[in-house]
Amino acid sequence: MATWANLGLQDSSSPLMEQLNFFHDHTLLILTMITILVGYIMGMLLFNKFTNRYLLHGQTIEIIWTVLPAIILMFIAFPSLRLLYLMDEINTPSITLKSIGHQWYWSYEYSDFLNLEFDSYMVPTNELETNGFRLLDVDNRVVLPMNNQIRILVTATDVLHSWTVPSLGVKVDATPGRLNQLNFLINRPGLFFGQCSEICGANHSFMPIVIESIPMNFFIKWITSMTN
């Protein structure tokens, strides 16, 4: 989860988020090099005293400053397209979770099991335990097994919402009348926090998401206790 003075991206908890982190650093390096080069050229233009009275055209330099940015853009575009296709890939999911956005809470359904559904509300500050996280904890967490492909189906009943968990690299719009699909894998146990990321009304800030990632044997015990 995000902490004080954390200006960077959150630590990744899925292979996809690792790739997004790498792509961020890759693009930032290219942007830093462009900024330094352009700044150096502008500085030289401002401070040097050289003139050339006979310069009428410069086809060579014009070719360079047309072709070079195109090549640089390709170094950004190809990794970006690769990631876009990876994010849309569905790899034979072990579990399907359906998330339904409401004003202002989430409902969850485990589609592979009968009668396993619940609502997830934010815990109010006055009911929060000492070790709870204000505005982030919920009364019913989403429990999912680690190291398993998980498919999430997202929709809404009223207005636009957005189901977002930054440390998993997951962000999908919840649109009324439409079912959006996403695939992810959690590679470590823990609690992962997210929030609705689409302005959806007065209590938009108060519909958090909490995922509890546990090993498969504990998940089977949890499923058994919930369905009995």
Side-chain angles (χ1 to χ4, degrees):
M1 62 178 289
T3 52
W4 294 112
N6 183 7
L7 301 179
L9 298 170
Q10 293 184 26
D11 291 340
S12 63
S13 304
S14 72
L16 190 61
M17 188 58 189
E18 282 181 18
Q19 293 296 315
L20 288 167
N21 274 334
F22 292 147
F23 177 68
H24 170 268
D25 296 343
H26 167 77
T27 309
L28 196 64
L29 181 64
I30 292 173
L31 289 176
T32 305
M33 289 165 59
I34 291 170
T35 306
I36 291 169
L37 178 64
V38 172
Y40 172 76
I41 292 169
M42 288 179 70
M44 296 307 294
L45 286 171
L46 286 171
F47 296 113
N48 75 45
K49 305 295 183 186
F50 300 120
T51 56
N52 187 340
R53 292 183 298 160
Y54 304 106
L55 183 64
L56 300 176
H57 59 82
Q59 288 183 343
T60 306
I61 192 64
E62 285 183 9
I63 290 169
I64 290 169
W65 71 42
T66 302
V67 172
L68 192 62
I71 294 169
I72 292 169
L73 284 175
M74 286 169 64
F75 276 96
I76 297 174
F78 287 136
S80 173
L81 287 170
R82 171 181 164 273
L83 264 178
L84 281 172
Y85 279 101
L86 276 175
M87 290 170 77
D88 273 343
E89 193 73 32
I90 302 296
N91 302 310
T92 55
S94 306
I95 288 173
T96 298
L97 174 72
K98 186 176 181 183
S99 174
I100 305 164
H102 307 269
Q103 287 181 307
W104 288 274
Y105 64 96
W106 296 98
S107 295
Y108 296 101
E109 300 174 8
Y110 287 77
S111 307
D112 304 302
F113 308 96
L114 292 174
N115 303 320
L116 183 47
E117 53 188 69
F118 52 84
D119 297 332
S120 181
Y121 289 87
M122 185 192 78
V123 178
T125 306
N126 58 345
E127 297 177 14
L128 205 60
E129 295 180 7
T130 311
N131 59 350
F133 294 103
R134 180 177 168 272
L135 302 183
L136 282 177
D137 256 323
V138 294
D139 55 357
N140 290 310
R141 294 170 177 167
V142 179
V143 179
L144 292 171
M146 58 182 281
N147 292 327
N148 281 270
Q149 290 290 342
I150 295 154
R151 172 174 55 194
I152 180 161
L153 306 173
V154 182
T155 187
T157 57
D158 36 45
V159 298
L160 289 175
H161 299 279
S162 185
W163 199 85
T164 307
V165 182
S167 61
L168 300 178
V170 173
K171 186 176 192 293
V172 56
D173 283 345
T175 311
R178 182 184 175 93
L179 207 59
N180 288 328
Q181 178 177 259
L182 207 65
N183 191 72
F184 62 91
L185 180 144
I186 308 171
N187 58 15
R188 60 191 173 100
L191 291 178
F192 307 109
F193 295 88
Q195 290 175 299
C196 176
S197 297
E198 188 76 54
I199 295 174
C200 57
N203 291 332
H204 157 67
S205 304
F206 310 115
M207 48 184 301
I209 300 152
V210 182
I211 292 178
E212 185 174 349
S213 170
I214 57 177
M216 180 55 94
N217 55 335
F218 290 106
F219 178 74
I220 292 168
K221 290 178 183 177
W222 178 81
I223 285 289
T224 308
S225 67
M226 291 291 287
T227 50
N228 287 341

